[in-house]
Amino acid sequence: MFVRAIALRDFRSWKRLDIDLVPGATVFVGPNGHGKTNILEALSYISTLSSHRVSSDAPLLRSGCTQASIAATVVNAGRELTAQVELNDGKANRATINTSPTRRPREILGILQTVMFSPEDLSLVRGDPGDRRRFLDELATTRLPRIAAVRADYERVLRQRSALLKTAGSHLRRGAASSDGASALATLDVWDGHLAAHGAQLFCARIDLVHALAPHIAHAYRSLAPQSRPASVRYRSSLGDFLPENFTDPQRSPEVGDAKFVEEQFLQALAASRSKEIDRGMSLVGPHRDDLDLILGDTPAKGFASHGESWSFALSLRLASFELLRGDGTDPVLLLDDVFAELDATRRRALASVAAGAEQVLITAAVGGDIPDELHARRIAVQARDTSDGRISTAQNDAIDIHDNADHLEGADSARSHEARYHEAGAHDSRSSSDA
């Protein structure tokens, strides 16, 4: 799989960008804050319908604009599809596939698969459980796009149920002693059933993913930090004692019917925690309260791992994701956002080795010297200028190897036809937020 072309309109600092890409490695080079990361962020958004930097879409629109768009033409096993998403301020986003409108934006999921590693990934080890839940859900959706609907249904029911607990707390506390209380309890029973049904599906998708991912994580970490303690992962569920011992152990083989069993246990856990939830006015049981434990030896990585161990674990999660998706039959596009500058020589070599074997890898770097010598890449220079319309990003396709290595100029020459089309399209661009 590779991205043949990308087009941005009013996306962050890009007023307009039209550029062709080729298989292999491409490096976007330029000063920090000039728009390099925005290009990778746009491709990641097409892949996951979310940003790795912000939790809402509003910052993705160029300042002063009410609409932005991202389009990517993707080639997979000889088949070419163009996915486009239109981001709208105050209105629902829209998407198209080969110019045909979709009913929901999530229908474009699966056209482009990406694995992105960025400095923000350190939060996977050191951050809140929400960062790790999001990592699992996005990867599960990349593997099985239908999980996006499961996740959306669960979050919708969770919002409704939580609102009921908060607004009808006094009625719920009175219980069946009043008609209002009886009505509120009946409504809560309905939401419990929906929450358990959707939550069981999301839970099982995560568990299946952790089972598949665990050996890849252990192998990746061992290659990155051979002198360190072994790395492992374990899913920690808020259902707690309502699940059999070792039910979430990565060594356990998932059984047919697990989702139905989990749904039944979920309902029991909700019943047991009902009085506490009513008192606190919030939903305390479900996948939204779960976590992925990252373990080094016998201790949690969070709070105990060194800086180097934390980076190795974060990188292992992404490399394991890449190998898992590749094992499913398709090479995802590897997106590396200014990460080589953060890594020591050993980790640089390990990442460069994986990148060199990817069908397509797109990299950002402040200077070309950050790219390991063994990774030869086409170079695209990115700069920004401040105008009355804000900061505007522009790109210049140099179409030469990042290391100016004569042995690789032949590949650069083959890219010049792409460069010509790029200039004809007029890849001039525009404004807004910064690179990370």
Side-chain angles (χ1 to χ4, degrees), residues 18 23 30 51 61-62 71 79 81-82 103 144 166 186 206 228 233 244 248 250 267 279 313 347 390 399 404 411:
D18 295 277
S51 164
L61 276 64
R62 190 168 64 89
R79 184 187 183 198
L81 290 174
T82 297
R103 289 182 300 170
L144 295 172
K166 185 175 296 185
R206 289 180 182 175
S228 181
V233 293
T248 59
L267 286 170
D279 287 340
F313 216 136
R347 295 176 180 87
D404 292 327

mmCIF file of all heavy atoms in Angstrom, residues 18 23 30 51 61-62 71 79 81-82 103 144 166 186 206 228 233 244 248 250 267 279 313 347 390 399 404 411:
data_model
loop_
_atom_site.group_PDB
_atom_site.id
_atom_site.type_symbol
_atom_site.label_atom_id
_atom_site.label_comp_id
_atom_site.label_asym_id
_atom_site.label_seq_id
_atom_site.Cartn_x
_atom_site.Cartn_y
_atom_site.Cartn_z
ATOM 1 N N ASP A 18 -0.873 20.232 -3.283
ATOM 2 C CA ASP A 18 -1.110 19.128 -4.208
ATOM 3 C C ASP A 18 0.244 18.535 -4.538
ATOM 4 O O ASP A 18 1.086 19.203 -5.149
ATOM 5 C CB ASP A 18 -1.786 19.598 -5.506
ATOM 6 C CG ASP A 18 -3.179 20.132 -5.267
ATOM 7 O OD1 ASP A 18 -4.114 19.329 -5.188
ATOM 8 O OD2 ASP A 18 -3.303 21.379 -5.130
ATOM 9 N N PRO A 23 6.430 5.193 -3.913
ATOM 10 C CA PRO A 23 6.830 4.196 -2.913
ATOM 11 C C PRO A 23 8.238 4.457 -2.408
ATOM 12 O O PRO A 23 9.001 5.204 -3.018
ATOM 13 C CB PRO A 23 6.728 2.871 -3.674
ATOM 14 C CG PRO A 23 5.784 3.141 -4.794
ATOM 15 C CD PRO A 23 6.032 4.575 -5.189
ATOM 16 N N GLY A 30 12.446 20.682 7.008
ATOM 17 C CA GLY A 30 12.255 22.112 7.208
ATOM 18 C C GLY A 30 12.260 22.462 8.678
ATOM 19 O O GLY A 30 12.188 21.583 9.549
ATOM 20 N N SER A 51 -7.073 13.031 14.981
ATOM 21 C CA SER A 51 -5.723 13.599 14.992
ATOM 22 C C SER A 51 -4.941 13.051 16.172
ATOM 23 O O SER A 51 -5.505 12.816 17.241
ATOM 24 C CB SER A 51 -5.797 15.129 15.087
ATOM 25 O OG SER A 51 -4.549 15.676 15.452
ATOM 26 N N LEU A 61 -8.745 23.261 11.075
ATOM 27 C CA LEU A 61 -9.140 24.217 10.043
ATOM 28 C C LEU A 61 -8.211 25.431 10.082
ATOM 29 O O LEU A 61 -7.887 25.938 11.172
ATOM 30 C CB LEU A 61 -10.576 24.677 10.240
ATOM 31 C CG LEU A 61 -11.679 23.772 9.669
ATOM 32 C CD1 LEU A 61 -11.694 22.404 10.365
ATOM 33 C CD2 LEU A 61 -13.040 24.440 9.826
ATOM 34 N N ARG A 62 -7.776 25.853 8.925
ATOM 35 C CA ARG A 62 -6.938 27.055 8.857
ATOM 36 C C ARG A 62 -7.663 28.230 9.509
ATOM 37 O O ARG A 62 -8.882 28.382 9.376
ATOM 38 C CB ARG A 62 -6.606 27.381 7.392
ATOM 39 C CG ARG A 62 -5.553 28.458 7.212
ATOM 40 C CD ARG A 62 -5.096 28.500 5.751
ATOM 41 N NE ARG A 62 -6.174 28.890 4.858
ATOM 42 C CZ ARG A 62 -6.449 30.160 4.534
ATOM 43 N NH1 ARG A 62 -5.747 31.150 5.075
ATOM 44 N NH2 ARG A 62 -7.421 30.444 3.693
ATOM 45 N N ALA A 71 -7.506 14.951 0.933
ATOM 46 C CA ALA A 71 -7.745 13.888 -0.045
ATOM 47 C C ALA A 71 -6.459 13.102 -0.230
ATOM 48 O O ALA A 71 -5.370 13.683 -0.323
ATOM 49 C CB ALA A 71 -8.223 14.458 -1.378
ATOM 50 N N ARG A 79 -4.978 -1.670 -7.032
ATOM 51 C CA ARG A 79 -6.258 -0.961 -7.057
ATOM 52 C C ARG A 79 -6.065 0.442 -6.500
ATOM 53 O O ARG A 79 -5.413 0.626 -5.470
ATOM 54 C CB ARG A 79 -7.287 -1.710 -6.224
ATOM 55 C CG ARG A 79 -8.691 -1.106 -6.273
ATOM 56 C CD ARG A 79 -9.600 -1.803 -5.286
ATOM 57 N NE ARG A 79 -10.966 -1.300 -5.357
ATOM 58 C CZ ARG A 79 -11.868 -1.475 -4.416
ATOM 59 N NH1 ARG A 79 -11.556 -2.122 -3.305
ATOM 60 N NH2 ARG A 79 -13.095 -0.995 -4.562
ATOM 61 N N LEU A 81 -7.787 4.003 -5.106
ATOM 62 C CA LEU A 81 -8.969 4.672 -4.574
ATOM 63 C C LEU A 81 -8.563 6.021 -4.015
ATOM 64 O O LEU A 81 -7.466 6.165 -3.456
ATOM 65 C CB LEU A 81 -9.620 3.841 -3.454
ATOM 66 C CG LEU A 81 -10.318 2.535 -3.832
ATOM 67 C CD1 LEU A 81 -10.761 1.792 -2.572
ATOM 68 C CD2 LEU A 81 -11.516 2.795 -4.732
ATOM 69 N N THR A 82 -9.437 7.004 -4.165
ATOM 70 C CA THR A 82 -9.206 8.319 -3.567
ATOM 71 C C THR A 82 -10.236 8.548 -2.472
ATOM 72 O O THR A 82 -11.444 8.548 -2.721
ATOM 73 C CB THR A 82 -9.306 9.439 -4.618
ATOM 74 O OG1 THR A 82 -8.285 9.253 -5.603
ATOM 75 C CG2 THR A 82 -9.126 10.804 -3.957
ATOM 76 N N ARG A 103 -22.369 7.720 3.089
ATOM 77 C CA ARG A 103 -23.407 8.049 4.069
ATOM 78 C C ARG A 103 -22.791 8.571 5.365
ATOM 79 O O ARG A 103 -23.343 9.470 6.005
ATOM 80 C CB ARG A 103 -24.258 6.819 4.363
ATOM 81 C CG ARG A 103 -25.184 6.401 3.218
ATOM 82 C CD ARG A 103 -26.006 5.201 3.619
ATOM 83 N NE ARG A 103 -25.155 4.058 3.964
ATOM 84 C CZ ARG A 103 -25.600 2.938 4.523
ATOM 85 N NH1 ARG A 103 -26.884 2.812 4.815
ATOM 86 N NH2 ARG A 103 -24.770 1.937 4.785
ATOM 87 N N LEU A 144 -10.057 -3.738 11.632
ATOM 88 C CA LEU A 144 -11.456 -4.066 11.350
ATOM 89 C C LEU A 144 -12.270 -2.776 11.388
ATOM 90 O O LEU A 144 -12.706 -2.339 12.458
ATOM 91 C CB LEU A 144 -11.995 -5.050 12.395
ATOM 92 C CG LEU A 144 -11.367 -6.444 12.436
ATOM 93 C CD1 LEU A 144 -11.874 -7.211 13.652
ATOM 94 C CD2 LEU A 144 -11.697 -7.214 11.153
ATOM 95 N N LYS A 166 -26.662 11.677 36.058
ATOM 96 C CA LYS A 166 -26.372 13.005 36.587
ATOM 97 C C LYS A 166 -27.646 13.822 36.807
ATOM 98 O O LYS A 166 -27.799 14.491 37.833
ATOM 99 C CB LYS A 166 -25.420 13.744 35.632
ATOM 100 C CG LYS A 166 -24.949 15.088 36.146
ATOM 101 C CD LYS A 166 -23.924 15.695 35.196
ATOM 102 C CE LYS A 166 -22.673 14.843 35.133
ATOM 103 N NZ LYS A 166 -21.617 15.493 34.290
ATOM 104 N N ALA A 186 -36.375 2.331 35.262
ATOM 105 C CA ALA A 186 -36.683 1.564 34.053
ATOM 106 C C ALA A 186 -35.845 2.046 32.880
ATOM 107 O O ALA A 186 -35.345 1.237 32.078
ATOM 108 C CB ALA A 186 -38.174 1.677 33.737
ATOM 109 N N ARG A 206 -10.836 -5.375 21.800
ATOM 110 C CA ARG A 206 -9.569 -4.996 22.430
ATOM 111 C C ARG A 206 -8.790 -6.218 22.901
ATOM 112 O O ARG A 206 -7.568 -6.305 22.719
ATOM 113 C CB ARG A 206 -9.834 -4.071 23.616
ATOM 114 C CG ARG A 206 -10.309 -2.675 23.248
ATOM 115 C CD ARG A 206 -10.535 -1.870 24.522
ATOM 116 N NE ARG A 206 -11.034 -0.517 24.272
ATOM 117 C CZ ARG A 206 -11.386 0.324 25.241
ATOM 118 N NH1 ARG A 206 -11.304 -0.060 26.508
ATOM 119 N NH2 ARG A 206 -11.824 1.538 24.940
ATOM 120 N N SER A 228 17.681 -4.723 28.561
ATOM 121 C CA SER A 228 16.633 -4.351 29.503
ATOM 122 C C SER A 228 15.819 -5.567 29.916
ATOM 123 O O SER A 228 15.988 -6.677 29.389
ATOM 124 C CB SER A 228 15.720 -3.297 28.875
ATOM 125 O OG SER A 228 14.704 -2.897 29.777
ATOM 126 N N VAL A 233 2.488 -6.954 28.027
ATOM 127 C CA VAL A 233 1.286 -6.135 28.172
ATOM 128 C C VAL A 233 0.159 -6.984 28.750
ATOM 129 O O VAL A 233 0.128 -8.199 28.567
ATOM 130 C CB VAL A 233 0.837 -5.521 26.827
ATOM 131 C CG1 VAL A 233 1.848 -4.500 26.326
ATOM 132 C CG2 VAL A 233 0.597 -6.603 25.790
ATOM 133 N N PRO A 244 -13.518 -14.403 34.834
ATOM 134 C CA PRO A 244 -12.662 -15.463 35.375
ATOM 135 C C PRO A 244 -11.201 -15.023 35.424
ATOM 136 O O PRO A 244 -10.761 -14.158 34.666
ATOM 137 C CB PRO A 244 -12.856 -16.615 34.381
ATOM 138 C CG PRO A 244 -14.122 -16.309 33.662
ATOM 139 C CD PRO A 244 -14.234 -14.815 33.630
ATOM 140 N N THR A 248 -8.278 -12.070 30.641
ATOM 141 C CA THR A 248 -7.667 -11.084 29.751
ATOM 142 C C THR A 248 -6.187 -11.363 29.484
ATOM 143 O O THR A 248 -5.499 -10.542 28.890
ATOM 144 C CB THR A 248 -7.810 -9.667 30.336
ATOM 145 O OG1 THR A 248 -7.169 -9.614 31.623
ATOM 146 C CG2 THR A 248 -9.282 -9.305 30.503
ATOM 147 N N PRO A 250 -2.970 -12.384 27.687
ATOM 148 C CA PRO A 250 -2.663 -12.536 26.254
ATOM 149 C C PRO A 250 -2.382 -13.978 25.845
ATOM 150 O O PRO A 250 -2.467 -14.317 24.662
ATOM 151 C CB PRO A 250 -1.423 -11.660 26.067
ATOM 152 C CG PRO A 250 -1.513 -10.641 27.143
ATOM 153 C CD PRO A 250 -2.122 -11.359 28.319
ATOM 154 N N LEU A 267 -23.493 -6.902 32.720
ATOM 155 C CA LEU A 267 -24.767 -6.579 33.363
ATOM 156 C C LEU A 267 -24.706 -6.833 34.863
ATOM 157 O O LEU A 267 -25.251 -6.060 35.663
ATOM 158 C CB LEU A 267 -25.894 -7.387 32.721
ATOM 159 C CG LEU A 267 -26.326 -6.940 31.327
ATOM 160 C CD1 LEU A 267 -27.258 -7.958 30.697
ATOM 161 C CD2 LEU A 267 -26.996 -5.562 31.389
ATOM 162 N N ASP A 279 -25.011 7.444 43.333
ATOM 163 C CA ASP A 279 -24.476 8.415 44.297
ATOM 164 C C ASP A 279 -23.481 9.359 43.642
ATOM 165 O O ASP A 279 -23.471 10.563 43.930
ATOM 166 C CB ASP A 279 -23.805 7.686 45.466
ATOM 167 C CG ASP A 279 -24.807 7.025 46.402
ATOM 168 O OD1 ASP A 279 -25.986 7.431 46.369
ATOM 169 O OD2 ASP A 279 -24.412 6.106 47.143
ATOM 170 N N PHE A 313 9.680 1.359 24.833
ATOM 171 C CA PHE A 313 8.358 0.740 24.932
ATOM 172 C C PHE A 313 7.374 1.425 23.979
ATOM 173 O O PHE A 313 6.589 0.765 23.283
ATOM 174 C CB PHE A 313 7.838 0.808 26.373
ATOM 175 C CG PHE A 313 7.055 -0.408 26.787
ATOM 176 C CD1 PHE A 313 7.259 -0.991 28.024
ATOM 177 C CD2 PHE A 313 6.122 -0.980 25.940
ATOM 178 C CE1 PHE A 313 6.555 -2.122 28.410
ATOM 179 C CE2 PHE A 313 5.403 -2.112 26.307
ATOM 180 C CZ PHE A 313 5.621 -2.684 27.552
ATOM 181 N N ARG A 347 18.485 2.641 18.702
ATOM 182 C CA ARG A 347 17.070 2.725 18.341
ATOM 183 C C ARG A 347 16.899 3.310 16.935
ATOM 184 O O ARG A 347 15.976 2.936 16.218
ATOM 185 C CB ARG A 347 16.317 3.559 19.382
ATOM 186 C CG ARG A 347 16.295 2.899 20.759
ATOM 187 C CD ARG A 347 15.636 3.780 21.819
ATOM 188 N NE ARG A 347 15.625 3.130 23.109
ATOM 189 C CZ ARG A 347 16.616 3.187 24.000
ATOM 190 N NH1 ARG A 347 17.711 3.882 23.730
ATOM 191 N NH2 ARG A 347 16.526 2.554 25.151
ATOM 192 N N GLY A 390 -1.835 35.228 7.730
ATOM 193 C CA GLY A 390 -1.269 34.282 8.680
ATOM 194 C C GLY A 390 -0.072 33.557 8.099
ATOM 195 O O GLY A 390 0.456 33.911 7.051
ATOM 196 N N ALA A 399 13.467 16.258 -5.123
ATOM 197 C CA ALA A 399 13.605 15.028 -5.911
ATOM 198 C C ALA A 399 15.034 14.505 -5.940
ATOM 199 O O ALA A 399 15.512 14.028 -6.945
ATOM 200 C CB ALA A 399 13.088 15.230 -7.337
ATOM 201 N N ASP A 404 22.235 13.007 -0.685
ATOM 202 C CA ASP A 404 22.953 13.366 -1.914
ATOM 203 C C ASP A 404 23.919 12.281 -2.335
ATOM 204 O O ASP A 404 25.039 12.536 -2.806
ATOM 205 C CB ASP A 404 23.728 14.687 -1.718
ATOM 206 C CG ASP A 404 22.791 15.859 -1.552
ATOM 207 O OD1 ASP A 404 21.696 15.842 -2.160
ATOM 208 O OD2 ASP A 404 23.157 16.780 -0.805
ATOM 209 N N GLY A 411 17.161 6.840 -8.781
ATOM 210 C CA GLY A 411 15.807 6.848 -8.241
ATOM 211 C C GLY A 411 15.257 8.249 -8.170
ATOM 212 O O GLY A 411 14.072 8.484 -8.391
#
